[in-house]
Amino acid sequence: MSTGGVAIARPARPFFFLGLLLAALLAGCGGGGSGSAPASSVSTPVANTLAITVDRGPDGTSINSPFVTVTVCVPGTTDCRTVDHVLVDTGSFGLRLAASVINPALALPAVTNANGLQVGECGHFASGFVWGSVRRADVKLAGETAANLPIQVVGDPATIFTAVPRSCSNTGFNFGTNLGANGILGVGVFDQDCPTCANSAAPAVYFGCAAIGCSSTTLPLASQVSNPVRAFAVDNNGVAMVLPQVPVGGTENLSGTLIFGIGTQSNNQLGTATVFTTDSNGNFTTVYKGATFGSSFLDSGSNGIFFDDPTIPVCSGFYCPPVPLTLSAINRSSSGVSGSVSFTIESIQSIGSRTVAANLGGDIGQAGAFDWGLPFFFGRKVFVGVSGASTPGGTGPFWAY
């Protein structure tokens, strides 16, 4: 998986909540999944745009959190629920919804393992985990549908999922359903969220659950929580995210667009965007102040740009320079393509309580990593090419902007 992730919107502290989602597991398998849907070429247009809103979120505390609305249905039926404030995350893969926004009225069928046991998942993230069941749903995004897709229901109240397995709880903080969102839409550069789990139960990601408890299990790729984009009939080779520029000091609510497909319709052409192919973990390289960060990624789910610079003062986890700093870095793809990036870091104290902050940053707390979070997306059209999918810019995984 990508080393990207989602940020829980909480003031005065960095939050890349879904950061580094199972990155170590992906490293062990050599890359992303194998989506069954073919990459589409230009075809009959469908509604492929979803409105993005950056606001305070369902609990009123979010900052730099891009939300969309999704619809989930019992597969093959019109029994559906529409869920707002689902966080768009280019650093994770798959749809995760809080049980409270769909249960108990929506009876989604359970995913089972080879022994017929219902499956639970421990979603491992940089700063904690989420636990819940794996169920199937028809996922509708704009005019696109991912039919019978495995999704995670976080905090599923079913009795067999109420106790978190110890091998899951030992991995860090349990976010429960305190996500700062009603769910997370993972549309990163890979398909499934744990390819190694198809052959090994060791990562303690998927669990077979019964009345006596839950035990780690293998799970075929087709049953794993998956990026819904690859399951679309068309526009299934990636996404583009478009957000307007934000002034220094930030602003309140912001609107943007999530576009499905790359080079499949007139609104998702690469144009002059530079393609940055990734390594098998979904990363490229950033060079900043002479230091090389080999685990770099574009992550709409992180609310700031997170990197290591001990010369910048820190206040409550975020950088707080006395005056705004104009900085630069060079991004380099796995194939050697490079390009410079200019960015600004201003103090969290000057941003205050604004909902949208163009220049928010902080210490990533991880050697070799550079997280280009949501501020990078402001004023850009950023493309995410999914692994194994053909596009006019080449076969994914790649980032482009």
Side-chain angles (χ1 to χ4, degrees):
M1 271 191 186
S2 162
T3 51
V6 178
I8 287 187
R10 294 290 178 271
R13 78 188 217 5
F15 52 86
F16 16 21
F17 154 54
L18 297 186
L20 304 176
L21 171 56
L22 304 177
L25 302 180
L26 188 71
C29 73
S34 55
S36 58
S40 58
S41 57
V42 175
S43 57
T44 303
V46 298
N48 69 332
T49 61
L50 201 59
I52 294 174
T53 299
V54 185
D55 63 20
R56 293 193 178 278
D59 64 3
T61 65
S62 293
I63 179 174
N64 282 357
S65 296
F67 297 112
V68 295
T69 295
V70 307
T71 297
V72 291
C73 308
V74 175
T77 76
T78 57
D79 188 6
C80 305
R81 299 293 179 273
T82 297
V83 182
D84 61 11
H85 284 95
V86 176
L87 190 65
V88 180
D89 181 28
T90 61
S92 68
F93 326 105
L95 178 63
R96 305 169 196 278
L97 295 175
S100 59
V101 299
I102 58 173
N103 281 336
L106 193 65
L108 299 178
V111 168
T112 57
N113 67 4
N115 296 321
L117 297 177
Q118 294 187 43
V119 174
E121 184 185 18
C122 183
H124 300 277
F125 307 121
S127 46
F129 69 89
V130 289
W131 167 255
S133 65
V134 181
R135 299 185 179 274
R136 290 190 178 272
D138 289 346
V139 177
K140 299 183 179 183
L141 303 166
E144 317 274 6
T145 298
N148 205 31
L149 187 78
I151 70 171
Q152 185 181 24
V153 178
V154 180
D156 192 320
T159 303
I160 61 172
F161 297 114
T162 54
V164 180
R166 180 170 297 182
S167 59
C168 175
S169 61
N170 286 344
T171 63
F173 176 74
N174 183 1
F175 286 105
T177 57
N178 185 27
L179 307 177
N182 289 328
I184 301 108
L185 176 64
V187 289
V189 294
F190 294 119
D191 192 345
Q192 290 84 17
D193 64 356
C194 184
T196 57
C197 295
N199 301 307
S200 173
V205 175
Y206 288 106
F207 293 78
C209 296
I212 59 173
C214 299
S215 300
S216 292
T217 185
T218 58
L219 197 66
L221 294 178
S223 296
Q224 294 185 21
V225 173
S226 302
N227 187 336
V229 173
R230 289 295 282 143
F232 293 160
V234 295
D235 304 317
N236 52 34
N237 54 3
V239 301
M241 192 167 174
V242 185
L243 291 170
Q245 288 185 324
V246 175
V248 172
T251 186
E252 289 305 318
N253 299 348
L254 192 73
S255 296
T257 307
L258 182 65
I259 306 172
F260 299 112
I262 299 176
T264 60
Q265 298 196 44
S266 60
N267 63 354
N268 59 23
Q269 301 299 310
L270 279 167
T272 59
T274 300
V275 173
F276 291 83
T277 55
T278 79
D279 62 18
S280 61
N281 294 320
N283 298 323
F284 55 90
T285 297
T286 294
V287 179
Y288 170 73
K289 289 188 175 180
T292 299
F293 299 82
S295 299
S296 298
F297 46 91
L298 308 184
D299 181 10
S300 66
S302 288
N303 65 346
I305 298 175
F306 293 98
F307 58 102
D308 178 30
D309 188 335
T311 69
I312 306 176
V314 176
C315 301
S316 302
F318 287 105
Y319 287 137
C320 54
V323 296
L325 299 177
T326 300
L327 305 171
S328 64
I330 296 174
N331 287 338
R332 185 171 64 239
S333 75
S334 62
S335 62
V337 174
S338 63
S340 61
V341 179
S342 294
F343 62 105
T344 300
I345 296 295
E346 60 182 310
S347 174
I348 181 64
Q349 295 172 337
S350 65
I351 293 168
S353 61
R354 291 182 178 86
T355 306
V356 186
N359 305 312
L360 185 64
D363 184 5
I364 195 168
Q366 180 188 354
F370 203 112
D371 180 353
W372 294 99
L374 195 70
F376 178 88
F377 290 72
F378 295 141
R380 287 186 169 96
K381 187 173 188 177
V382 177
F383 294 86
V384 183
V386 182
S387 179
S390 298
T391 78
T395 301
F398 66 76
W399 310 96
Y401 57 87

